[in-house]
Amino acid sequence: MQTWSLVSMCVLLGIVVRWGVSLNSYSGAGKPPMFGDYEAQRHWQEVTYNLPLQEWYSNTTENDLNYWGLDYPPLTAYHSLVCAYVAKTINPEWVDLHKSRGYESPAHKLFMRATVLVADLLIYIPAVVLYCLYLTDGSTKKKVCTVFCFLLYPGLILIDYGHFQYNGVSLGFALWGVLALGLGWDALGSLAFCLALNYKQMELYHALPFFCYLLGKSVKLGLMGRGLFLLVRIASTVLVTFALCWLPFLSDPGDAMQVVRRIFPVARGLFEDKVANAWCSLNILIKIRSILSSDSQIYISFACTLLAVLPSCVRLLMKPTFWQFKLALVRGIQLIILPLFLKDGLLVPYAVTSLAFLFFSIYLLSALEHCSEEELRLGAFHKLLFCLPKLDLFYISVSAMAGLSVVTVALVPPTHLPDLFPVLVSSTAFLHFLGTFIYFNIVQFSEPPSRKSQKKND
Amino acid sequence: MRALTSCIGPWCVARCLSDLLLICHWVCVSVSHSTDFEVHRNWLAITHSLPVSRWYHENTSEWTLDYPPLFAWFELGLSHAARHFDPDMLLVENLNYASPSTVLFQRLSVIFTDLLFIYAARECCRCVQDQKGSRDVLNRPSFVLAVLLLWNFGLLIVDHIHFQYNGFLFGFLLLSVAKHLQRQHLQGALLFSVLLNLKHIYLYVAPAYGVYLLRSYCFTQDNKDGSVSWSSFSPLRLLALGGIVASVCALSFGPFIAMGQLPQVLSRLFPFKRGLCHAYWAPNIWALYNTLDKILATLGVRLKLLQEAGLPRASMTGGLVQEFQHSVLPSVTPSITLVCTLLSILPAVASIWFRPRGARGFLRCLLLCALGSFVFGWHVHEKAILIAILPLSILAVENREDAGIFLVLTTTGHYSLFPLLFTPAELPIKVSLMLLFTIYSFTALRKLYSGRGSLLRPLESVYLLGLVGVAFACEVAFPLSPWQQKLPFLPLLATSVYCSLGVCYSFLRLYASLLRPPGKPKQP
């Protein structure tokens, strides 16, 4: 069957699942006074539409930063402004300054969900399709399966269409960046990634691989010739992009600093909402908060993060191939936030989309079983975990996740450990992350098999 | 991947898709439901809380029990499971009760009963002959049929969003057809009797069953020239068939006949007080008739040939189901529609009597009975088009001409279901699912019959492209235009008239393919 028809069917299915999930409840629905992320996005539309640009990130009488103050970079603010213009034409009550706080209605929910879908259709979905069609190996069917799995990935669907966020935009831009780098268009790739960074500062997680790959590539081309030219082009692209995004704030350095302070709130501490990371897990064993001061926590966390990604970045610098770059990117931290979904009443969509993803990963993985062990380079991995064969590991992890999900819903935690389940979920997530982290480190540092595509990307 | 898919059968891949299908059904759990949801909740309550003697007399709610008794027994069975979800839904007084547990239970019951449909689809796929060869799994006729049946857009919307048990019922129909294709006629007859006692709308296709079974099952042999061999009549077979039908009806109607309530039950099952057309006109001949009447009336008033005061008030699509008088053309009564329907199916039925063409001829006749009743019937629901579309899928994967007719009928029929989902929240889902099914059916069937020219004639392609225009006009342009207030029924009228053209055309083409003598070369 023709590729375009298969791909369009995958995209349509992705849209159906996304819209189906979005008909469910959103973050903070019906929960005054603060509501949730949905109200935060609506509030940003209100703020950006009604207030002058200099006041968006500052605490003024008109703009109370304690009530969902803007804490994403300027591109998010511009996006909210565009949405606000549309909202104003449909129903001005949605963005009335102060009066629209906590506004909830079926029509408004439809509008907000539609903005997420439109953003996805314009930015994320085309990036996924083009990436899978042009930068993955294999037959057409395999590429279409990859598109399918990408588009059905439950984490993104549930967060964006359930909980309510716009991660598709920043991830989409980052993916455009990866796509451009894969096709050899380095300047365009840097442009796209800068846009991603200016949309959500979380993309900083991916900044190091981008930086190391481009730097390594320039060095390889020769710092006295083409390499320097490339470096200059990339640097100027980055500077111009940043300048254009921050232009309205650059007239007053105070404004720019205020924005930076809002984007990087170092006073918030390490444990915000029990997200999955090492600190939360480590805290079970050692009460870190009581040992170290807030500042020391920040410095140590920064140092450890850097140490963790350093080996792969050094490898990337020395051997800047696209394959190595993709591996380094996988270090993007993945957050499993089941308790957050439960707070928003999203259990059914969570179950459904996770199941869908699992089904198809299993079917694809069973296709993967036909690959030789050598291709997967799991030999070294097995040496580390000699007691557990590969397949059992997969099913153990799936059972653990399923079991945790069921337990979190069905049982009530003991009174002396009220946060038992969220912490368990975070720890499990971190263990998974650690496992895949080690695996990909092994993959990156062992000899790659000779592949035609490898030569093509070099 | 190629190695993987070539060694597993098409059914395994289709089963993987059906898992995805069930998951998609779950996703639709939260979509808003229609009045049919309350209808079924009410029936759960009636059958659970009231004694059997009150079932067909109960009218606290406007949605009285109007399906045959076997369906009432089915609802009784469901109600015992419903007790564990939310007992309050089983109180007859709780009109429009729709707690989250109720919605969850109802949706789950549809998903669960759909398993029968999945089984029936599998049986149909086994009847389709796959050509031997190195064909890729995804291009085998049985796989294409599996997807066309399981992912049928009409069934998805009607059952899982709008809310009904059609998947369950179509499971019986398709299973019965599959049994006939597999020459297990008694099982097929049993399944059809059960189906008739679950929903009497399938009376539309009963003539096909009756004549086929009589001709091809009761007469065990044919003469050499194909005509009836009267001497080969087998009374035993006739008795067996009669016994099966009688026992199923006895099981279903028995208690009501014993209580002397049969007239009451029948009056509930056949409410001819309802109008010629449903609130939204099904795309049949009467939609065209009504439109012509309206146009003539308007012209007559403009040309001063008619008095406006003398015309009956127009409210055919006002949302109420009433009797309606035509202004210019003669009014249509139920008896007229019955006569028209019988006349329209007579050639098909006669054809399988005089020239039986085996089980596939029976399937064709079944289709024509279903389509004829749709085109000429009284108070037809647009959902009834599915009775024609689903069996046509079986023929479409085996025969090139049928594939062309299928594409026209299915796309038109599915589009005519759009007005069932009218809220803005449902728009992305219905458009995406429709596009998904349409793209798949076109590309899969084209691939199946590749190399022999286009499946559609030029006029048909133009008509289908016109559907896109109508869709855009009705869903996007019209709501934003100034006519929205003055003529709110215009999109419904336009949809139903445009679709009736396609449906009537498909009906005629199917007839042509049935009545054409075998062996005559097809027109290019």
Side-chain angles (χ1 to χ4, degrees):
Chain A
M1 202 174 292
Q2 289 169 312
T3 315
W4 72 264
S5 56
L6 285 171
V7 166
S8 50
M9 287 195 279
C10 288
V11 169
L12 286 168
L13 203 57
I15 294 176
V16 169
V17 175
R18 279 164 167 72
W19 195 255
V21 169
S22 65
L23 293 171
N24 286 286
S25 175
Y26 49 77
S27 153
K31 292 194 188 128
M34 283 304 281
F35 303 93
D37 270 339
Y38 175 92
E39 167 62 14
Q41 298 285 351
R42 190 216 55 75
H43 180 67
W44 295 347
Q45 291 173 14
E46 173 197 337
V47 162
T48 52
Y49 185 82
N50 292 297
L51 300 178
L53 196 135
Q54 287 70 26
E55 289 185 36
W56 289 356
Y57 289 88
S58 350
N59 215 350
T60 64
T61 43
E62 302 287 341
N63 186 15
D64 177 14
L65 286 183
N66 280 328
Y67 185 79
W68 301 114
L70 258 172
D71 53 3
Y72 283 134
L75 215 55
T76 299
Y78 303 146
H79 181 209
S80 299
L81 184 62
V82 169
C83 294
Y85 271 107
V86 179
K88 187 82 179 183
T89 49
I90 303 175
N91 185 348
E93 281 179 43
W94 292 348
V95 288
D96 253 344
L97 189 59
H98 302 315
K99 277 183 271 179
S100 62
R101 269 208 196 174
Y103 191 97
E104 288 182 298
S105 79
H108 186 238
K109 179 180 171 187
L110 198 61
F111 165 71
M112 296 292 277
R113 296 294 196 197
T115 57
V116 183
L117 185 66
V118 165
D120 252 14
L121 281 173
L122 288 176
I123 300 176
Y124 181 68
I125 293 180
V128 168
V129 169
L130 289 174
Y131 178 83
C132 294
L133 287 183
Y134 291 107
L135 289 182
T136 49
D137 317 309
S139 67
T140 313
K141 281 206 199 83
K142 188 163 173 213
K143 291 187 189 190
V144 170
C145 283
T146 319
V147 172
F148 192 54
C149 283
F150 243 110
L151 289 179
L152 267 202
Y153 177 60
L156 191 61
I157 297 181
L158 286 172
I159 297 182
D160 273 12
Y161 291 86
H163 186 74
F164 201 92
Q165 281 200 358
Y166 290 98
N167 292 303
V169 178
S170 57
L171 278 177
F173 277 131
L175 200 54
W176 279 110
V178 173
L179 181 69
L181 290 191
L183 295 172
W185 303 333
D186 298 321
L188 280 176
S190 336
L191 168 71
F193 187 69
C194 289
L195 288 175
L197 262 181
N198 278 301
Y199 195 86
K200 276 205 176 168
Q201 67 275 34
M202 279 204 302
E203 289 297 325
L204 274 175
Y205 288 132
H206 296 139
L208 261 179
F210 268 84
F211 176 73
C212 293
Y213 171 72
L214 289 171
L215 185 62
K217 190 172 174 186
S218 310
V219 166
K220 200 170 166 195
L221 284 175
L223 271 177
M224 284 302 130
R226 285 173 56 203
L228 184 65
F229 180 57
L230 180 65
L231 206 57
V232 166
R233 246 195 12 208
I234 294 171
S236 42
T237 313
V238 170
L239 285 170
V240 166
T241 316
F242 267 87
L244 281 174
C245 290
W246 289 70
L247 196 64
F249 299 96
L250 292 176
S251 52
D252 182 359
D255 285 341
M257 273 317 295
Q258 176 62 11
V259 179
V260 173
R261 243 177 269 133
R262 286 297 301 168
I263 297 176
F264 297 107
V266 288
R268 249 199 239 170
L270 293 167
F271 293 94
E272 185 81 7
D273 228 335
K274 299 172 196 57
V275 271
N277 59 29
W279 306 114
C280 198
S281 311
L282 200 56
N283 200 48
I284 302 172
L285 301 171
I286 316 169
K287 292 270 170 269
I288 298 182
R289 256 200 282 237
S290 47
I291 300 178
L292 300 170
S293 74
S294 167
D295 281 344
S296 324
Q297 286 177 44
I298 294 165
Y299 292 134
I300 292 187
S301 123
F302 185 63
C304 287
T305 314
L306 211 57
L307 268 174
V309 295
L310 206 58
S312 66
C313 289
V314 167
R315 173 80 173 169
L316 187 58
L317 262 175
M318 297 191 321
K319 202 177 160 102
T321 63
F322 193 62
W323 167 246
Q324 298 282 356
F325 170 62
K326 283 199 284 190
L327 283 173
L329 276 179
V330 171
R331 260 42 151 254
I333 294 178
Q334 190 176 315
L335 306 172
I336 297 178
I337 332 181
L338 176 60
L340 220 62
F341 292 151
L342 275 182
K343 257 203 295 187
D344 301 342
L346 284 170
L347 184 63
V348 168
Y350 164 75
V352 164
T353 41
S354 306
L355 215 61
F357 190 68
L358 265 171
F359 264 123
F360 284 93
S361 309
I362 290 176
Y363 281 120
L364 273 191
L365 201 75
S366 46
L368 215 59
E369 278 171 57
H370 290 255
C371 298
S372 67
E373 269 222 356
E374 202 215 84
E375 269 197 54
L376 288 178
R377 276 165 283 164
L378 281 171
F381 200 46
H382 282 183
K383 289 197 183 73
L384 279 180
L385 301 163
F386 49 85
C387 45
L388 297 165
K390 170 194 77 177
L391 207 57
D392 284 357
L393 198 63
F394 177 71
Y395 286 116
I396 286 174
S397 91
V398 166
S399 326
M401 287 199 281
L404 260 181
S405 311
V406 169
V407 147
T408 318
V409 177
L411 303 178
V412 173
T415 39
H416 58 281
L417 297 166
D419 287 319
L420 176 67
F421 296 140
V423 171
L424 273 179
V425 169
S426 301
S427 313
T428 316
F430 173 67
L431 276 174
H432 279 98
F433 167 66
L434 190 66
T436 48
F437 188 79
I438 295 175
Y439 166 65
F440 279 108
N441 257 309
I442 293 172
V443 164
Q444 190 171 17
F445 283 92
S446 54
E447 275 302 312
S450 60
R451 294 143 60 110
K452 272 201 300 204
S453 58
Q454 195 70 8
K455 295 203 177 82
K456 196 168 67 178
N457 283 325
D458 277 328
Chain B
M1 194 70 190
R2 197 163 295 178
L4 178 68
T5 51
S6 66
C7 57
I8 49 178
W11 183 256
C12 292
V13 183
R15 201 191 67 190
C16 146
L17 283 178
S18 70
D19 294 338
L20 179 63
L21 180 74
L22 289 174
I23 289 163
C24 265
H25 292 174
W26 268 96
V27 167
C28 295
V29 162
S30 309
V31 185
S32 66
H33 45 79
S34 71
T35 51
D36 277 319
F37 180 86
E38 166 60 16
V39 170
H40 288 277
R41 186 216 60 78
N42 187 42
W43 294 353
L44 280 173
I46 291 178
T47 52
H48 188 86
S49 318
L50 298 177
V52 176
S53 53
R54 296 279 317 149
W55 285 0
Y56 283 92
H57 287 280
E58 172 59 39
N59 58 1
T60 311
S61 160
E62 55 180 319
W63 311 116
T64 55
L65 195 54
D66 57 1
Y67 277 17
L70 201 58
F71 198 84
W73 299 117
F74 166 68
E75 291 273 11
L76 178 64
L78 277 182
S79 68
H80 285 290
R83 243 192 355 210
H84 302 287
F85 279 77
D86 185 350
D88 286 338
M89 76 171 100
L90 300 172
L91 298 172
V92 180
E93 310 81 53
N94 275 352
L95 296 181
N96 294 311
Y97 184 77
S99 70
S101 324
T102 311
V103 175
L104 187 67
F105 170 72
Q106 297 269 52
R107 296 270 189 220
L108 272 178
S109 65
V110 176
I111 293 175
F112 184 69
T113 51
D114 251 14
L115 290 174
L116 179 66
F117 181 74
I118 294 179
Y119 174 67
R122 182 197 170 143
E123 286 296 307
C124 287
C125 291
R126 277 177 41 189
C127 300
V128 169
Q129 297 124 350
D130 275 336
Q131 283 178 15
K132 298 288 171 219
S134 57
R135 270 221 215 175
D136 183 18
V137 156
L138 298 181
N139 288 326
R140 285 194 222 170
S142 47
F143 177 77
V144 174
L145 178 63
V147 178
L148 289 179
L149 287 176
L150 294 174
W151 279 86
N152 189 289
F153 166 75
L155 210 52
L156 270 176
I157 335 193
V158 169
D159 266 13
H160 295 279
I161 299 184
H162 195 68
F163 197 86
Q164 275 197 346
Y165 288 96
N166 289 305
F168 175 59
L169 297 167
F170 277 116
F172 277 104
L173 181 69
L174 287 177
L175 203 53
S176 151
V177 166
K179 292 299 177 198
H180 283 302
L181 288 172
Q182 292 165 359
R183 290 182 225 265
Q184 291 168 320
H185 298 292
L186 286 176
Q187 291 184 31
L190 173 66
L191 288 162
F192 186 67
S193 322
V194 170
L195 178 63
L196 264 186
N197 281 289
L198 282 172
K199 191 168 180 182
H200 51 298
I201 200 178
Y202 294 94
L203 275 173
Y204 286 165
V205 301
Y209 272 87
V211 174
Y212 172 68
L213 284 172
L214 193 59
R215 176 69 175 84
S216 302
Y217 183 65
C218 294
F219 289 95
T220 46
Q221 277 178 359
D222 288 342
N223 284 337
K224 285 206 195 69
D225 61 354
S227 64
V228 176
S229 161
W230 295 97
S231 56
S232 70
F233 181 73
S234 158
L236 195 65
R237 288 189 171 188
L238 186 63
L239 271 172
L241 283 175
I244 288 175
V245 175
S247 49
V248 175
C249 290
L251 206 69
S252 159
F253 281 89
F256 297 94
I257 298 176
M259 288 186 287
Q261 287 190 359
L262 192 61
Q264 170 67 5
V265 175
L266 289 177
S267 74
R268 283 284 178 88
L269 292 184
F270 300 102
F272 277 105
K273 272 287 155 207
R274 294 191 189 165
L276 172 65
C277 288
H278 192 47
Y280 156 59
W281 301 346
N284 62 8
I285 206 94
W286 306 123
L288 293 172
Y289 190 83
N290 288 347
T291 313
L292 189 61
D293 183 67
K294 255 196 178 315
I295 293 176
L296 289 175
T298 319
L299 271 178
V301 166
R302 286 272 169 84
L303 298 173
K304 305 276 192 290
L305 294 171
L306 294 170
Q307 299 282 17
E308 187 158 359
L311 292 175
R313 286 274 212 92
S315 61
M316 287 178 286
T317 49
L320 299 169
V321 177
Q322 315 163 313
E323 289 197 44
F324 177 76
Q325 302 294 326
H326 289 96
S327 331
V328 176
L329 299 171
S331 284
V332 178
T333 62
S335 2
I336 294 182
T337 61
L338 190 63
V339 167
C340 289
T341 311
L342 287 175
L343 282 176
S344 72
I345 66 175
L346 201 59
V349 164
S351 156
I352 57 166
W353 177 269
F354 291 110
R355 247 190 316 134
R357 287 201 269 180
R360 283 183 168 66
F362 153 68
L363 189 55
R364 217 171 276 277
C365 175
L366 187 147
L367 265 172
L368 283 164
C369 289
L371 211 44
S373 313
F374 182 85
V375 170
F376 291 102
W378 177 266
H379 199 80
V380 171
H381 281 242
E382 59 285 346
K383 303 170 212 147
I385 195 76
L386 291 174
I387 309 180
I389 290 179
L390 287 172
L392 186 54
S393 320
I394 303 177
L395 292 177
V397 299
E398 290 183 324
N399 177 305
R400 192 164 178 277
E401 193 188 351
D402 291 327
I405 304 174
F406 173 80
L407 288 177
V408 175
L409 182 63
T410 305
T411 316
T412 311
H414 283 169
Y415 179 67
S416 72
L417 295 174
F418 262 38
L420 281 179
L421 303 182
F422 47 84
T423 64
E426 291 153 335
L427 184 66
I429 291 192
K430 76 182 178 191
V431 169
S432 306
L433 282 176
M434 171 94 188
L435 279 175
L436 192 61
F437 184 81
T438 311
I439 291 178
Y440 181 77
S441 54
F442 273 82
T443 43
L445 288 175
R446 261 206 190 123
K447 192 85 194 274
L448 213 54
Y449 300 106
S450 60
R452 282 175 271 172
S454 167
L455 284 174
L456 291 176
R457 297 178 185 169
L459 199 61
E460 293 169 356
S461 308
V462 168
Y463 173 79
L464 290 179
L465 283 172
L467 258 182
V468 178
V470 171
F472 183 77
C474 293
E475 302 282 347
V476 181
F478 187 80
L480 301 171
S481 75
W483 295 309
Q484 160 74 10
Q485 303 297 329
K486 261 196 332 178
L487 306 166
F489 60 85
L490 202 56
L492 292 179
L493 184 77
T495 308
S496 119
V497 166
Y498 197 82
C499 292
S500 7
L501 295 172
V503 171
C504 295
Y505 170 77
S506 308
F507 179 59
L508 292 171
R509 268 201 73 184
L510 268 173
Y511 244 121
S513 77
L514 176 73
L515 297 178
R516 187 185 305 122
K520 181 174 173 185
K522 199 173 44 57
Q523 304 299 327

